[in-house]
Amino acid sequence: MDPRDAGPSALMARMGSHSDFEQWWQAREVAVQSTENKVFHRPSAGTLTLDWDPLTSSTAPDQHIVVWTPVPGSPSEQRLHHLAVGVAARAAEKPRTAQP
């Protein structure tokens, strides 16, 4: 939350008037989305359903890395594998140029 943004502060002031919210806020019992899944449609691979997990650094809590993974043994895992193999094969076919 940006401390210069008055919007969240105004919202907190309104929510703070509800005694239950104030108690929950002080206890830090707020919901955090930690994992879910998303469906992607790739012309070269079909439909992929991947779980996502955000990773947050304790030294930089405003920065996140999201890890996308298929369910092991799922059709999405097989499609993702075929997609990766195809990308690797196309990369191997490209002629390499000499680096100075």
Side-chain angles (χ1 to χ4, degrees):
M1 183 165 71
D2 185 344
R4 296 167 293 186
D5 185 355
S9 297
L11 176 62
M12 291 300 298
R14 286 196 321 267
M15 295 299 291
S17 66
H18 300 283
S19 62
D20 288 341
F21 176 80
E22 181 63 26
Q23 182 181 12
W24 295 332
W25 186 259
Q26 293 303 323
R28 301 292 192 254
E29 293 179 15
V30 293
V32 175
Q33 185 72 35
S34 62
T35 187
E36 191 148 330
N37 62 45
K38 184 171 181 172
V39 177
F40 296 89
H41 301 285
R42 297 280 306 170
S44 58
T47 300
L48 301 168
T49 302
L50 302 175
D51 294 338
W52 62 268
D53 293 290
L55 304 176
T56 305
S57 169
S58 61
T59 59
D62 58 331
Q63 296 181 17
H64 307 279
I65 295 174
V66 178
V67 178
W68 297 91
T69 54
V71 172
S74 69
S76 291
E77 181 184 47
Q78 295 167 359
R79 291 182 188 121
L80 192 60
H81 175 75
H82 291 305
L83 182 63
V85 167
V87 168
R90 285 190 299 279
E93 292 172 358
K94 290 183 180 179
R96 296 190 185 268
T97 58
Q99 297 295 325

